Amino acid sequence: KWGLVCGESWVPGVIISIQMVGLLTSGYLSGQLSDLFGRRLILFLAILLNSITNFAAAFSSSWQMFAGFRFLIGFSCGLYLATYLTYLIEFTPQKYRPMVQAVPSWSLGAAAYGLLSWLLHDWRYLQMVTGAFGLPFLACWILIPESFRWLVSHKKIDKAKEVIEKIAKLNRVAAPDLKEIEVALQKSHTVDRKYTVLDICRHGYLLKRAAIVSFAWIAMAYNYYGISFGVDKLSGSLYLNMFILSVLEIPGAFLSWFFMNKIGRRKSYFIFTMLSTAGAVAVGVTENFEFTNQGSVINGFAFLTKIGGGMAWSCVFIITTESYPTVLR
């Protein structure tokens, strides 16, 4: 489309980069926004914006217009990705947090996208269907309450009580007494403060954690997106490879859940990162030798890299959310 061949072949790569800039931008903003206005509002705004911009992108009349919409799509993804797990974790006891991360929502969606691409081919239809997929989830607004941890941290005790009573009723148990929390809040001198990223820099132990998990996120993003965006370089069917790369993450998610509870978050992350690293090195080495079934062998090592990286990223998600108090999470 739009003659993006030969001298214009650089454009598709630039469009992908523009989308990732959108994700980077909102990644920094979403944390502050979800702390100021609540996890629930930002999460559903992200879903709405993602649906609208995906659908609108289908009617782009130039690659520049399409790139603009892809920036907004990336922006909405950043809002979502930086908010949704924190939102879930704040409802979940520590023991069961890896289980929440093991629910294969991302991998199922990515696998479905591979099949959808195979069926539709036309990029305009893909944009429309992707936008339409998000709309039904907006109905969850009436079902899902605000994070009670966020409500408590912002001294909205009455609303927090309503949320906890709703959860207790759903689980058919007695609602816990919040008097101790109320007393603690009354004694606190920082309840009405507005926290920012700068507060992390004021405390050495938080700054150290931030530096470590940020490096881990960069490494995992480079690993994951490097393979995802490079899937067309693998041998065989593009669509089948997209599907396999995504489906492999499903058993990986359950394995990461088991190991995180069995040996801890950090050890699990280290093991899975080494597994992914071994697969990536093997791909690089194998490419330098020509032999029968070279393409299949490279694909196998690439799949190993992806599954290891996916499991490691599951660990990073949990480690990150557990590294900070609610007001900074």
Side-chain angles (χ1 to χ4, degrees), residues 7 18 31 36-37 47 59 71 84 90 120 134 163-164 184 194 198 217 239 245 254 282 284 301 315 322-323:
I18 289 173
L36 288 173
F37 303 108
I47 296 173
F59 299 94
F71 174 86
Y84 91 97
E90 291 182 349
L120 296 179
V163 172
I164 290 174
K194 299 299 182 185
L198 294 177
W217 272 81
Y239 309 108
L245 280 172
F254 287 101
F301 285 133
C315 300
E322 292 181 343
S323 294

Side-chain angles (χ1 to χ4, degrees), residues 18-288:
I18 289 173
Q19 177 174 323
M20 299 307 287
V21 170
L23 191 144
L24 175 68
T25 304
S26 60
Y28 279 104
L29 293 175
S30 59
Q32 195 69 60
L33 291 173
S34 64
D35 186 61
L36 288 173
F37 303 108
R39 296 17 172 161
R40 181 170 175 251
L41 176 63
I42 300 304
L43 183 76
F44 281 94
L45 279 177
I47 296 173
L48 178 62
L49 178 62
N50 187 267
S51 292
I52 292 173
T53 51
N54 263 290
F55 194 81
F59 299 94
S60 299
S61 57
S62 67
W63 74 260
Q64 292 89 344
M65 182 178 177
F66 183 70
F69 280 121
R70 295 307 297 190
F71 174 86
L72 294 174
I73 290 168
F75 189 90
S76 66
C77 289
L79 285 179
Y80 178 84
L81 290 171
T83 306
Y84 91 97
L85 188 65
T86 295
Y87 190 30
L88 287 174
I89 290 303
E90 291 182 349
F91 282 106
T92 312
Q94 187 176 20
K95 179 181 177 181
Y96 298 103
R97 288 171 186 170
M99 181 186 70
V100 172
Q101 180 58 24
V103 176
S105 54
W106 179 286
S107 48
L108 283 173
Y113 189 79
L115 290 176
L116 196 65
S117 302
W118 174 63
L119 290 170
L120 296 179
H121 289 292
D122 192 291
W123 65 274
R124 294 187 188 273
Y125 294 148
L126 277 172
Q127 292 287 161
M128 291 179 186
V129 174
T130 303
F133 258 106
L135 294 176
F137 293 97
L138 295 173
C140 294
W141 175 269
I142 61 175
L143 301 175
I144 303 174
E146 180 56 86
S147 162
F148 66 86
R149 290 177 184 267
W150 180 84
L151 291 169
V152 168
S153 71
H154 284 69
K155 213 173 181 178
K156 299 180 180 183
I157 295 296
D158 291 336
K159 290 185 178 180
K161 284 181 178 178
E162 291 177 10
V163 172
I164 290 174
E165 287 171 0
K166 181 178 180 180
I167 294 172
K169 184 178 180 181
L170 185 68
N171 288 293
R172 298 179 182 178
V173 296
D177 190 356
L178 296 183
K179 286 184 179 179
E180 290 185 14
I181 294 177
E182 291 184 63
V183 172
L185 285 174
Q186 290 170 1
K187 292 180 179 179
S188 173
H189 299 291
T190 60
V191 170
D192 295 325
R193 277 192 56 198
K194 299 299 182 185
Y195 291 85
T196 68
V197 175
L198 294 177
D199 288 286
I200 295 176
C201 301
R202 293 190 180 102
H203 301 278
Y205 76 100
L206 287 178
L207 185 59
K208 178 184 175 182
R209 291 179 183 180
I212 293 171
V213 298
S214 294
F215 181 83
W217 272 81
I218 292 170
M220 289 298 96
Y222 191 87
N223 171 298
Y224 191 93
Y225 289 114
I227 297 172
S228 298
F229 289 149
V231 65
D232 58 320
K233 304 295 190 297
L234 299 177
S235 62
S237 168
L238 167 66
Y239 309 108
L240 180 61
N241 287 335
M242 286 175 64
F243 179 79
I244 294 174
L245 280 172
S246 302
V247 166
L248 283 174
E249 291 184 49
I250 297 176
F254 287 101
L255 281 172
S256 64
W257 167 23
F258 172 79
F259 278 99
M260 274 192 276
N261 276 340
K262 195 74 175 177
I263 63 175
R265 284 44 161 162
R266 290 191 303 170
K267 288 181 180 178
S268 298
Y269 170 72
F270 178 79
I271 291 171
F272 299 146
T273 302
M274 290 299 100
L275 177 66
S276 184
T277 300
V281 171
V283 169
V285 171
T286 306
E287 282 187 332
N288 292 306

